[in-house]
Amino acid sequence: MKYSYYPGCTLKTKAKELDVYARKCAEKLGVELTEVDDWQCCGGVYTTSRDEIVTKLSSVRALNNAKERGQSLVTVCSACHNVIKRVNYDMANDAFVNAGANNYLQLATPYNGETKVIHFLELLRDEIGFENVKKAVVNPVKRRISAYYGCLLLRPGNVMAMDDPENPRIMEDFISAIGGTPVVSPYRNECCGAYLAVTDPAVPARHCGYITDSFKAKGAETVITACPLCMYNLKRNSGDLPVVYFSEILAEALGVK
Amino acid sequence: MDLSEQAENIKRISGVDTKKCLRCGKCTASCPNYEDMEYHPHQFVYFIENGYLDRLLKSDAAFRCMTCFACVERCPRDVKPAKLIEAVRLTLVRQKDSNRLKPYDIIENLNADLPQQAIVSAMRKYTK
Ligand code: SF4
Ligand code: SF4
C-alpha cells in the first residue's frame, strides 16, 4: 500500500514523536508513506472566508502533488488534516475558491479536489483495518485510556466525514485494537483553547482544566491526542495525567518504540 | 464602505445567510468560550442581520472565538456563525495598522514547548 504523506512543520520540530512513530508504525503495518515534494506549512488553521485564496494555496499544492502521483494523501496532525481536507472540499465544491486558486497556480491540469485525504487514524480503520492492527500488536497497552478528539478531527462533520462529530468512536476503537480500555468523557470533543495559548493562556488553562478533570474523574490513566496544540495545552494543565500522541502509543503496542 | 456595505461584504465572504437563523440560541449554548466573549454567536448573526455591526466592530469578541466550530456543528439551520465571526475578524485586521498580534507580543507567552502550529495559527487569526 503506497500513499503520499504530508507531515507538517510542527511534526518536524516540537512534535517529532507524532511523525516518527507514525512512520515506524506504517512501516510495520506494510504501508509505504512518501512525503509530498517540497511541501509547505498548511498555515495551522483553515481560513473560512471564501475570498481567502492565498492562505489555501499550500494545501492545493500538496493535494495536487499527490494527485500527480496517483496516490491518496495521508496526514497525521489534526490541524494539517483539517486545513487540507477543508481546502480540498472547497476545490471540489466552491467554484470561486477553485477559480482563484487555479488561476494563480496555472497547473498543467487544473486541480478540482480529486485527491482523497486520509488521516492516519482512518488509514488504520479503513485501509489496514483495526482487526489487522490488533493482530500486529505485540505489547497490548493494558491501560485505561481517554481519547481526546478536540475540534479539528471532527468538525465540520459534513466536510471532515471521519466519524459522528458528536459521538465519535474511531479513537475508542483504536484504543481497543491496541489492547487498552477506552474511557469516554463528554469533554473529548470540546475545544482545548487552541491558539489563544499565544495571546491569553488563561483561556486554554480553563478549558483544559475542565477536560482533564473529567478524564480523571472517569478513571483515565493516559490521554491520547493527534494534535500538537492540544498536546501543549493539555500537558500544561493536566497535572500528573500523562498525555501522549496516538502514534507513540501505537508504536509501543506494535513493539517499534 | 459604510456599515451596511460592510455587513453585506461580511455575509458575502463568509457565505452565511443570516436570514436562515431561527434564534434558537443553540450556537451560543454550545459555545465553550461563552463567558469570555462580550457578544455570542447568535448575536453576531442577529447584529449583522439588523444593522448593529458597529457593536461587533468595537468589541474584541471576534478575537476571543476559538474557531472550534461547535456552534456550526450544532446549529439546526446550518447558519455557520463561526464563519460570520471570522469575517468580522477579517474586516478588522484587513484595515491598515490593525494587526491584533505583533511579533514582539508573542515573546510574552513563548516557551520551549510552544508548538510552531500555535504561532502560525495565531498569526493567521490576528494579523494580515
Ligand atoms: S467557533 Fe467560536 S463562537 Fe463558535 S462555539 Fe467555538 S468559540 Fe464559540
Ligand atoms: S444555532 Fe443557528 S438557528 Fe439557532 S440561534 Fe444560532 S445561528 Fe440561529
Side-chain angles (χ1 to χ4, degrees):
Chain A
M1 287 195 279
K2 293 185 180 183
Y3 299 88
S4 286
Y5 175 57
Y6 181 96
C9 309
T10 306
L11 278 74
K12 296 287 181 182
T13 47
K14 304 285 180 190
K16 282 196 180 111
E17 306 85 355
L18 185 53
D19 170 60
V20 169
Y21 292 122
R23 286 172 196 267
K24 285 189 179 175
C25 296
E27 200 184 327
K28 180 77 195 288
L29 295 166
V31 170
E32 196 179 318
L33 300 176
T34 313
E35 265 187 47
V36 164
D37 301 323
D38 302 324
W39 56 268
Q40 303 160 319
C41 175
C42 70
V45 280
Y46 168 77
T47 46
T48 69
S49 286
R50 299 180 67 213
D51 63 346
E52 282 283 323
I53 303 291
V54 176
T55 44
K56 297 183 171 80
L57 292 177
S58 65
S59 296
V60 182
R61 290 191 183 99
L63 288 158
N64 188 60
N65 188 249
K67 176 189 157 187
E68 285 173 353
R69 294 178 183 171
Q71 294 176 335
S72 296
L73 180 59
V74 172
T75 58
V76 60
C77 165
S78 303
C80 300
H81 182 67
N82 188 279
V83 175
I84 293 173
K85 188 132 188 186
R86 291 172 83 175
V87 171
N88 203 36
Y89 184 87
D90 287 343
M91 294 304 285
N93 297 291
D94 189 323
F96 182 80
V97 173
N98 179 307
N102 276 310
N103 178 55
Y104 180 81
L105 290 170
Q106 295 294 316
L107 303 164
T109 314
Y111 182 76
N112 299 315
E114 293 91 343
T115 300
K116 189 173 171 199
V117 185
I118 315 171
H119 187 268
F120 201 91
L121 285 163
E122 293 173 307
L123 179 78
L124 297 173
R125 180 189 63 187
D126 305 332
E127 310 272 321
I128 299 168
F130 280 145
E131 64 290 354
N132 294 320
V133 173
K134 193 174 178 182
K135 280 182 208 148
V137 168
V138 292
N139 303 313
V141 183
K142 293 188 177 123
R143 254 170 282 164
R144 292 173 57 79
I145 303 169
S146 272
Y148 179 65
Y149 290 85
C151 320
L152 299 169
L153 285 176
L154 302 169
R155 293 193 287 266
N158 66 323
V159 178
M160 301 314 290
M162 176 184 275
D163 207 337
D164 180 339
E166 298 294 1
N167 192 19
R169 55 178 291 179
I170 184 170
M171 287 175 91
E172 283 75 16
D173 289 346
F174 164 76
I175 292 165
S176 301
I178 59 169
T181 305
V183 177
V184 175
S185 145
Y187 283 89
R188 68 201 160 128
N189 60 348
E190 289 294 325
C191 182
C192 69
Y195 45 82
L196 271 83
V198 179
T199 50
D200 187 356
V203 174
R206 190 174 71 241
H207 294 300
C208 291
Y210 298 143
I211 294 163
T212 54
D213 282 354
S214 166
F215 288 154
K216 286 179 199 169
K218 301 272 180 187
E221 295 167 300
T222 300
V223 178
I224 57 167
T225 175
C227 176
L229 184 48
C230 297
M231 168 66 95
Y232 172 82
N233 282 333
L234 287 175
K235 250 190 168 171
R236 286 171 75 81
N237 300 289
S238 66
D240 53 3
L241 181 64
V243 189
V244 296
Y245 290 119
F246 79 96
S247 57
E248 182 165 355
I249 211 158
L250 176 61
E252 191 184 319
L254 297 179
V256 292
K257 188 177 163 183
Chain B
M1 274 198 276
D2 66 18
L3 273 174
S4 70
E5 285 167 340
Q6 264 177 335
E8 282 312 309
N9 193 51
I10 285 168
K11 285 191 246 178
R12 186 180 60 80
I13 67 172
S14 64
V16 169
D17 178 1
T18 51
K19 289 196 208 68
K20 277 165 60 179
C21 173
L22 50 80
R23 321 245 182 270
C24 68
K26 200 171 178 188
C27 50
T28 293
S30 297
C31 178
N33 223 21
Y34 174 85
E35 55 198 284
D36 211 41
M37 291 168 71
E38 183 186 6
Y39 297 118
H40 309 300
H42 77 283
Q43 289 172 302
F44 278 79
V45 179
Y46 183 80
F47 287 178
I48 290 167
E49 171 76 16
N50 292 290
Y52 305 115
L53 175 61
D54 54 327
R55 298 187 197 171
L56 301 175
L57 296 179
K58 280 186 208 120
S59 169
D60 78 337
F63 297 96
R64 310 299 291 176
C65 164
M66 311 181 293
T67 330
C68 74
F69 263 59
C71 55
V72 174
E73 199 62 57
R74 292 167 198 165
C75 169
R77 295 280 295 150
D78 198 27
V79 174
K80 303 188 174 75
K83 289 197 172 189
L84 211 53
I85 297 171
E86 176 134 328
V88 170
R89 177 165 41 205
L90 283 173
T91 301
L92 290 165
V93 298
R94 283 177 179 173
Q95 292 167 5
K96 183 170 169 253
D97 297 331
S98 296
N99 285 344
R100 292 300 197 276
L101 182 66
K102 308 267 164 22
Y104 279 109
D105 302 338
I106 296 172
I107 294 171
E108 198 183 319
N109 292 317
L110 197 63
N111 62 64
D113 297 325
L114 188 72
Q116 285 74 7
Q117 175 197 357
I119 299 169
V120 293
S121 300
M123 291 305 275
R124 218 165 236 198
K125 289 290 174 183
Y126 300 117
T127 69
K128 259 299 154 200

